[in-house]
Amino acid sequence: MKMLMTIIDSSHKEELEVMLKHEGVTGWTEISHVRGMGSSGERLGSLTSPDTSAVVLALLKPEDLERVVSRVRSYCSECAERIKMMHWDVTVEL
């Protein structure tokens, strides 16, 4: 299995959720109001830097990963500069 981690501007997380549903992703975990600093600037949730990000984690079949990543990039063209995606192999223990 693959774990896809998407870091996205909090104001665009609903767009990501709609796209994931459209692509058949049946579950994900969201961490809201994430604060930090990186290539897209400060996202500190403060008076001087009020923006925050959201982290969305989705477990995908390997054959679905590239399709979903490509779809996220094209679907979320407005937030393309502020979206980061990373993925890695995971073992699911039941």
Side-chain angles (χ1 to χ4, degrees):
M1 298 294 285
K2 298 284 187 178
M3 178 63 70
L4 175 63
M5 179 172 76
T6 305
I7 304 171
I8 189 167
D9 186 290
S10 291
S11 65
H12 293 288
K13 69 181 176 78
E14 289 83 12
E15 293 173 62
L16 176 62
E17 292 167 356
V18 167
M19 190 284 318
L20 290 172
K21 285 181 187 177
H22 181 76
E23 287 301 311
V25 178
T26 58
W28 59 84
T29 299
E30 177 189 321
I31 304 167
S32 299
H33 308 293
V34 177
R35 299 172 184 172
M37 201 169 141
S39 61
S40 63
E42 294 180 346
R43 311 191 64 71
L44 303 175
S46 67
L47 289 175
T48 58
S49 180
D51 294 333
T52 60
S53 296
V55 175
V56 178
L57 300 162
L59 190 62
L60 303 172
K61 295 178 182 174
E63 59 269 19
D64 295 334
L65 177 69
E66 290 306 317
R67 176 180 50 81
V68 171
V69 166
S70 176
R71 187 77 170 125
V72 169
R73 287 260 179 239
S74 64
Y75 185 83
C76 193
S77 60
E78 181 182 331
C79 55
E81 291 180 17
R82 295 198 174 226
I83 192 168
K84 304 287 187 236
M85 287 185 278
M86 293 141 266
H87 57 84
W88 58 93
D89 294 326
V90 295
T91 302
V92 177
E93 299 285 339
L94 300 178

